Amino acid sequence: GMTDVAMLDLDPQAGLTTRAGKHAVADPIREPPVDVFGIALYRGGRGLAHATDAQVARHIQRTIAEGGADRVVIADMPPALHDRVHRMIFDRADAFVLGAIRCEPDSFHSMNELVAQAARAGRPYMLVPTFYAKKNAQNATLLALQSQHHGHVTDTLIPQDNKAVDCVLTRQPVTRFAKRSKIALAISDLLDEVLATETVGSGA
């Protein structure tokens, strides 16, 4: 049957929540999930910044426990790599790290930090190259990425696509809003590729 998937917004700024067409909540660690196109969404909000480590850890655990035995939780983390949420997720033996990397030289520093963190925690990780400009100009960056992180870069590239902007305005996932768009097809390919990697376990 269908895999039981939940989305967990661990960012006080609640970017995932608002992009899903929902409002941030005052106290995310106590709020029940809401349904977004058949996926349980645990909303983000300012209260996450004030919660204790123990409360956040329990919140992460409940998103797994409230689902079926095969539940997969997709956690959206705050942008700062050195916040506690990264530490708490990376400390979990069931975590698989997926990093979207812009193929431009500026993004290499934070990407290398992410990779170092994943390596220190012994977590499996994959880097997903994304393009925001003309592809050719970025081939050198992509080649550098593939050679430096051999075996950890997805074959699927996520292209620039205006449909990705439009779908946010319509509050629909791009795979639903524009099924045949370049980006929707790429996301579908990415899913197949990531789920085929044997390193992916259940959990966050």
Side-chain angles (χ1 to χ4, degrees):
M2 280 279 290
T3 305
D4 175 10
V5 176
M7 294 188 295
L8 170 59
D9 189 347
L10 290 172
D11 190 348
Q13 294 188 7
L16 171 64
T17 302
T18 52
R19 282 188 173 82
K22 303 295 177 188
H23 292 289
V25 288
D27 193 6
I29 63 169
R30 289 190 182 80
E31 284 287 343
V34 289
D35 181 90
V36 178
F37 297 104
I39 293 172
L41 168 66
Y42 293 81
R43 291 161 291 178
R46 290 266 166 236
L48 286 165
H50 310 297
T52 64
D53 283 12
Q55 287 172 322
V56 175
R58 275 200 302 275
H59 178 47
I60 294 168
Q61 190 54 41
R62 91 169 162 124
T63 64
I64 296 164
E66 287 178 2
D70 64 341
R71 170 166 274 190
V72 173
V73 176
I74 298 169
D76 187 40
M77 296 190 273
L81 279 175
H82 290 290
D83 71 343
R84 60 185 179 158
V85 168
H86 281 79
R87 189 181 72 243
M88 293 164 111
I89 293 280
F90 283 39
D91 277 351
R92 297 187 61 98
D94 56 4
F96 177 84
V97 180
L98 201 59
I101 307 300
R102 291 187 186 214
C103 278
E104 50 201 33
D106 302 350
S107 62
F108 267 51
H109 177 68
S110 60
M111 178 200 64
N112 287 329
E113 275 188 33
L114 176 71
V115 167
Q117 258 185 308
R120 272 198 304 276
R123 301 313 319 133
Y125 69 93
M126 286 299 276
L127 305 172
V128 184
T130 66
F131 285 103
Y132 287 82
K134 289 192 179 64
K135 235 185 204 175
N136 295 347
Q138 293 171 337
N139 274 351
T141 317
L142 179 60
L143 289 170
L145 179 65
Q146 288 165 334
S147 66
Q148 281 176 34
H149 300 282
H150 186 69
H152 291 280
V153 180
T154 59
D155 293 333
T156 308
L157 309 177
I158 302 297
Q160 183 182 30
D161 193 329
N162 293 335
K163 294 282 190 286
V165 179
D166 298 342
C167 79
V168 174
L169 304 174
T170 66
R171 300 281 188 236
Q172 292 182 71
V174 73
T175 46
R176 192 181 182 108
F177 167 70
K179 286 188 177 110
R180 308 302 304 162
S181 63
K182 277 188 205 149
I183 190 164
L185 296 171
I187 287 169
S188 176
D189 289 346
L190 177 65
L191 203 57
D192 290 343
E193 184 180 350
V194 170
L195 291 176
T197 25
E198 285 162 30
T199 43
V200 181
S202 61

